[in-house]
Amino acid sequence: MEDLRNQYVQRLPGEIEMAEGLFNKAVGSGVELTKLHELELAAHRLSGSGATFGFPAISEAARTLEERLAEILATEVIGIEERTELADLLANLSNSVRAAVHRA
């Protein structure tokens, strides 16, 4: 299990980089709901895997982002307030990932 945990930790920076890229593409010039959905799926994966590998802060931050994305996707409304909120939630997830990588 320790080897799997180490492999997970090594993949985390790439996962967060991918999530940030999806966010930037989703809200860059207009709103791409497909990219927001992909970001929701990435958050879902991190939500489950974080707890599995002993990183509850990653799971909590990812779950919060995932739930907010689901709400936004249900209404298809994303203004400046929603963009700012998502950016903050993603930054929180990124900070949780950095802390986990640093501790590992």
Side-chain angles (χ1 to χ4, degrees), residues 9 96-104:
V9 169
S96 296
V97 165
R98 277 196 288 280
V101 170
H102 180 71
R103 282 193 314 262

Side-chain angles (χ1 to χ4, degrees), residues 36 40 64-76:
L36 281 182
E40 179 189 26
T64 302
L65 176 60
E66 175 190 9
E67 289 171 354
R68 187 61 182 118
L69 282 163
E71 292 168 359
I72 288 170
L73 286 165
T75 63
E76 296 186 3

Side-chain angles (χ1 to χ4, degrees), residues 16-39:
I16 204 66
E17 185 178 311
M18 179 193 68
E20 290 168 344
L22 287 169
F23 174 75
N24 290 332
K25 289 177 185 174
V27 300
S29 58
V31 176
E32 286 190 45
L33 294 177
T34 302
K35 296 298 180 193
L36 281 182
H37 181 68
E38 289 177 34
L39 179 57

